[in-house]
Amino acid sequence: MTTAAQRARYPLTQGVNPWLVTCSVMLPTFMEVLDTAIASVALPYIAGSLSASNDEATWVLTSYLVANAVILPASNWFARRFGRKRFLLSCIILFTIASFFCGAAPSLGVILFARIMQGAGGGALQPLSQSILLESFPIEKRSMSMAAYGLGIVLAPVLGPTLGGWLTDTFSWRYAFYINIPVGLLAIFMVTRFVHDPPYIKNAKVGPFDNIGFGLLMLWTGALQIVLDKGQEDDWFGAVWVRWATALLVISLVGWIWHSWTKKDGLVDLHVLKDRNFRTGCALMALLGMCIYITISILPLYYQEIMGYTAFTAGMVVGPRGIGSFIGSPIIGILGSRIDGRKLLTAGFCGFGICALIFGTVDLEIGPYTLLIPIMLTGLALSFVFVPMATMAMATIPRQEMGNATGLSNMLRNIGGSIGISMATTAVIRRSALHQNDLGAHMDPSNPVLQQKVRMMSLFLNHHIASASSTGGAFGQIYGSMVQQSALLAYVDVFRWTALLAFFCAGCSWFFKKPPKNAKMPEGVH
């Protein structure tokens, strides 16, 4: 029980120290983001264990993302209808139970159903946690609180592949899901003990559930994820089903926007986009999602596919990004209230872009520690991006709209990340083929340089295979080197395009309108 003195000292959290609230809501967020990254490492092992193909196993990812994206913007209605604390606890419980069934699944169908339930539970964890956190601190102290929250957001995708690879190699892929259970139990205890609903949530009058808006939301998010995840396999718009799925996506998206804008008390209130800072923040959040997930997904793949590292070793190589995040989070917490957030955003995006350019200088001779410094600096740069962006985007949003606003922004980040991963994967495949054609054009059999290389390699192979096969083996080795070099150039292209995107975001940061330093809380809010 809190005393009157405690409630007077911490009026926004009803007497609970706001840093305890921060720890309580950061745990489920960290668990959810970690699970998003950790499952991708174990995907081949899941396919082999459940007698499924790799194509079928990818639905383990897509089913989670679809359910997650649908719940994100709807979380505000559920929080108001059932109470934010009660809904948060329900989501954590559902996520934890679903994690157990994911790990214990005997077949592909069971794990897909469990992943849908896990995505439904995990979708609301981020917006709920973020809105609770923002309301637990006065405006002038939000930068420090968002720094602590951002640490969990930034670190989880970095630790996910490393932890997932270690658990899978050491124990089983099932432990990549079982690890959520102790974290979930601790989160349930802390939320029960330290999180309370504000009066406006307890006394909120909620309209009927928006069935049409929810149905349209399910349609366009589902169509988007299916097209993004499966489009490359069937040559995108070269396949009839992709064109139909895209038509469904466009029609349902336009219908959802029109319905959400015109319907009073709809599931999602898009009128919050009238706020200039929030509108700018949403656009940048989507682009930030693209930048983050491109590097998180493509850099480990480069180490595995080009350099031949294992999943665990590749995760260890990119792990130092977490060190940069640890360093950057307290720094940005201090600077956030003293320096114009637009300057911090510009510095963060420019730093990220410079690191991406350095990634674009990779070759076949790099070692595990060659990119140590730029990888670490990306973590530092992301700290300078996430915190001021979230703070400035929400600075002029009334507290009653926090849940609605955070749901929209988190949904856009996930969608941006999905689009970014899809674009990067497509670019690697197609640019690799393009570079292979360009390099192959110089491999004319009459080329004296090629003939010399073939003779030298044939002489070497004569000591290991039959002389009659040495020439063919030499051509095979040269072709393999050409394919490897083509893939390398494709990764270089993706890294450079990511750098351009980051520099573009740095310029767009100045569309934010600087909020007043001592802005008052909206009236009527407790």
Side-chain angles (χ1 to χ4, degrees), residues 287-288 290-291 294 349 496-506:
L287 296 177
L288 174 62
M290 295 178 67
C291 291
I294 285 175
F349 276 121
R496 291 175 177 175
W497 293 342
T498 305
L500 292 177
L501 179 61
F503 292 137
F504 173 77
C505 291

Side-chain angles (χ1 to χ4, degrees), residues 159-232:
L159 296 177
T162 306
L163 183 59
W166 179 77
L167 289 171
T168 301
D169 291 341
T170 306
F171 302 102
S172 167
W173 63 266
R174 300 181 184 275
Y175 285 86
F177 297 104
Y178 288 151
I179 194 174
N180 292 328
I181 297 175
V183 180
L185 293 176
L186 179 59
I188 291 171
F189 168 77
M190 294 191 68
V191 170
T192 303
R193 180 69 178 82
F194 300 119
V195 175
H196 302 284
D197 283 337
Y200 76 87
I201 288 287
K202 296 178 180 179
N203 303 323
K205 296 181 179 179
V206 184
F209 188 73
D210 184 8
N211 296 300
I212 296 177
F214 189 69
L216 291 171
L217 178 63
M218 291 180 63
L219 277 178
W220 78 261
T221 52
L224 175 65
Q225 291 297 336
I226 292 173
V227 169
L228 290 176
D229 291 331
K230 295 294 183 181
Q232 171 59 32

Side-chain angles (χ1 to χ4, degrees), residues 83 103 137 210 227 248 257 300 325 334 347 428 472 495 499 512:
F137 289 83
D210 184 8
V227 169
L248 176 63
I257 293 174
S325 300
I334 296 172
V428 166
F495 289 135
F512 275 114

